[in-house]
Amino acid sequence: MSIFAAGCAMAASAWAWPDRPITLVVPYTPGTGIDLVARQLSARLPQVLGQPVVVDNVPGASGNIGSERVARAAPDGYTLLVQVSTLVMNKSLYKSLPYDPVNDFAPVAQTSWGTLLLVRNPSAQKAATVPALVAEAKARPGALTYGTPGVGTPHHLAMALLTQKAGIEMLHVPFKGTAGAVTDLLGGRLDFMFLPVHVALPHIRAGKLQALAAGSDQRVPQLPDVPTLAEAGIDTGSVDMWYGVLAPKGTPPAIVERLNGAIAGILRQPDVAAAFETQGMVPAVSSPGDFARLVAKDAARWAEVVKKGGITAD
């Protein structure tokens, strides 16, 4: 087949797309924030695209198993990845990934942002503000502790970035999941932690946790009196987690653009925004190009943090 004929065949295929069900691969267990994003999309995309859309949860290896499946799938628009910014963090955390998180995908659309809050147990005799935290950490290097759901998680890299920018040393205590870390934080056995808004907010409202700063560029609407990290004196830039949809590399641009437009329309629906809010997320409409630039920028930024901190997940 000539190059011209192959191009015509691809164009015809893209024009006919979709003519069968589409699969959204979620590389985590049901009930997670990224799973909620996928299920909101799967419930609404059929109304726009005219074909069923199913969610396939493929958890394991920090999202790498499901992500690899999509990276190796046919670039025909029928197998898509719904992921969080852990995707690009893994590029630097694992020495030998079987796929490239940046170059093996065609970014389709960012769907949302998820803000991380820096919190402490207010009953503990520890620094109650970010400047006080920095001062105490400098006075007693390694004495203050922080918990995370595990090495290389967004919570961990956010704190690693904070300590690097502030020039301080804190003791990292990794857990296997969020629940155990939160339990120890509430019990006063940990000093600090980054937590998603929806996880931290009930404890903050109950007076069991205090929010020191928001990791976003803007203050969190639910906590308007809590400063951002930049306002508190540490210019980390946003440590928010992004969520989005990606296709295998080589997916026809016409399919990517149609998917992007369909997803953008869904994200503008008020009930979708309300559903996202339950998981501490806010919708984010973007072009494929904007999302691609965000993915590449974040991969480079977190690579620097990982290298400087000597962090590895292997």
Side-chain angles (χ1 to χ4, degrees):
M1 181 183 290
S2 69
I3 294 176
F4 175 76
C8 289
M10 182 176 291
S13 176
W15 183 260
W17 180 91
D19 60 6
R20 64 180 190 270
I22 297 166
T23 298
L24 300 180
V25 174
V26 175
Y28 304 99
T29 56
T32 56
I34 198 64
D35 183 66
L36 178 141
V37 170
R39 294 186 187 278
Q40 289 293 318
L41 294 178
S42 69
R44 292 166 171 79
L45 280 172
Q47 302 165 23
V48 184
L49 301 178
Q51 291 291 336
V53 177
V54 298
V55 175
D56 185 11
N57 293 91
V58 187
S62 297
N64 289 326
I65 295 175
S67 297
E68 182 187 3
R69 178 176 297 185
V70 178
R72 301 287 173 253
D76 55 13
Y78 292 101
T79 304
L80 306 171
L81 178 66
V82 187
Q83 250 287 24
V84 66
S85 47
T86 303
L87 175 72
V88 294
M89 295 175 176
N90 287 349
K91 181 176 173 67
S92 301
L93 291 166
Y94 293 87
K95 295 178 181 177
S96 55
L97 278 182
Y99 65 96
D100 189 311
V102 175
N103 296 318
D104 286 346
F105 295 100
V108 173
Q110 185 184 356
T111 61
S112 46
W113 289 106
T115 295
L116 291 171
L117 290 171
L118 178 62
V119 297
R120 68 183 280 272
N121 185 323
S123 64
Q125 298 301 309
K126 303 293 180 182
T129 65
V130 172
L133 183 162
V134 173
E136 186 167 351
K138 287 185 175 179
R140 299 191 300 139
L144 297 179
T145 62
Y146 70 93
T148 71
V151 173
T153 55
H155 318 60
H156 178 202
L157 296 193
M159 189 66 84
L161 178 59
L162 184 156
T163 58
Q164 290 172 16
K165 290 291 187 179
I168 58 177
E169 180 182 342
M170 298 172 69
L171 177 63
H172 176 210
V173 183
F175 287 74
K176 292 183 178 180
T178 304
V182 172
T183 297
D184 274 16
L185 182 64
L186 293 171
R189 293 177 290 277
L190 289 173
D191 298 328
F192 302 95
M193 190 172 179
F194 269 109
L195 283 175
V197 171
H198 74 286
V199 176
L201 201 56
H203 300 298
I204 292 170
R205 288 173 172 165
K208 296 179 180 179
L209 290 180
Q210 176 198 351
L212 274 65
S216 51
D217 288 329
Q218 305 293 328
R219 294 191 179 197
V220 176
Q222 300 96 319
L223 300 167
D225 295 331
V226 175
T228 65
L229 284 171
E231 290 173 333
I234 303 180
D235 188 13
T236 58
S238 172
V239 297
D240 280 2
M241 300 178 288
W242 54 253
Y243 298 76
V245 178
L246 304 99
K249 180 182 178 181
T251 300
I255 292 178
V256 171
E257 288 292 345
R258 188 173 177 196
L259 274 167
N260 179 273
I263 292 170
I266 290 170
L267 296 175
R268 293 188 177 99
Q269 297 176 14
D271 58 333
V272 173
F276 279 15
E277 187 177 352
T278 66
Q279 289 289 326
M281 295 182 290
V282 294
V285 175
S286 73
S287 69
D290 288 340
F291 188 30
R293 284 184 284 274
L294 173 62
V295 168
K297 179 181 177 181
D298 246 18
R301 177 171 70 141
W302 294 120
E304 183 179 347
V305 173
V306 167
K307 182 179 179 179
K308 188 172 182 179
I311 303 168
T312 179
D314 286 322

